[in-house]
Amino acid sequence: MSRMTPFSSPLLLGFDAMEKTLERLAKSGDSYPPYNIERLSGADGKAERLRITLAVAGFAESDLDVTTEENQLVVRGRQNDDTEREFLHRGIAARQFQRCFVLADGMRVIAAELKNGLLSIDLDRPESERLVRKINISVKD
């Protein structure tokens, strides 16, 4: 029995990658670190900007890595476990994380800033030009 998906319509061509991305998102269930996504209005009122803010208390700039890989924004955090310290109680774990955000075509990362335990990553999507192209039809006898 074949599985019906929203992208199985014969009118939707080339959306295989989108379907795989949605399946990958459905499988990811890790909620650490917590994050916010907010829409910011641009100075001109037109350009759409987004800000992703992750709560990364205890992580230094050198512990964090922000990269873009294909159409994904990947944020990784690695803390070194300090073996020289002796804890009587350890409620704050030094843990690693990787958080991925799928970016739409044209989205780009503008800046990343770490302040007061919050990592803010600003993104924008430049206005794309509308491209209309006439396709010539050839007639073969």
Side-chain angles (χ1 to χ4, degrees):
M1 175 181 258
S2 65
R3 184 177 67 127
M4 292 296 292
T5 65
F7 297 100
S8 59
S9 169
L11 301 176
L12 297 173
L13 303 174
F15 284 91
D16 302 342
M18 177 71 73
E19 186 174 14
K20 290 177 185 173
T21 300
L22 290 173
E23 287 175 2
R24 185 176 45 219
L25 288 173
K27 291 178 184 175
S28 66
D30 190 16
S31 62
Y32 181 79
Y35 63 93
N36 292 336
I37 300 176
E38 58 185 305
R39 185 184 321 269
L40 306 172
S41 59
D44 56 2
K46 294 181 181 177
E48 179 179 288
R49 288 185 31 212
L50 299 175
R51 175 172 291 153
I52 301 171
T53 305
L54 293 99
V56 293
F59 287 85
E61 178 188 356
S62 59
D63 298 332
L64 298 168
D65 186 35
V66 179
T67 59
T68 54
E69 300 172 8
E70 295 181 10
N71 65 334
Q72 287 191 32
L73 170 66
V74 180
V75 182
R76 292 181 181 93
R78 292 178 200 81
Q79 286 180 316
N80 293 328
D81 207 2
D82 192 359
T83 57
E84 296 177 8
R85 298 166 65 185
E86 180 182 347
F87 292 97
L88 299 178
H89 170 75
R90 182 147 190 188
I92 303 171
R95 66 192 279 193
Q96 299 181 18
F97 72 86
Q98 176 175 309
R99 170 72 67 184
C100 297
F101 299 92
V102 178
L103 303 177
D105 289 341
M107 293 292 293
R108 62 182 181 184
V109 177
I110 301 171
E113 178 185 26
L114 181 62
K115 182 178 179 184
N116 297 329
L118 297 174
L119 174 64
S120 297
I121 303 167
D122 290 344
L123 304 111
D124 77 345
R125 181 190 332 221
E127 207 50 48
S128 61
E129 296 179 23
R130 295 196 179 249
L131 179 63
V132 177
R133 210 174 90 209
K134 172 91 171 135
I135 308 298
N136 290 328
I137 302 171
S138 62
V139 177
K140 296 188 181 188
D141 293 332

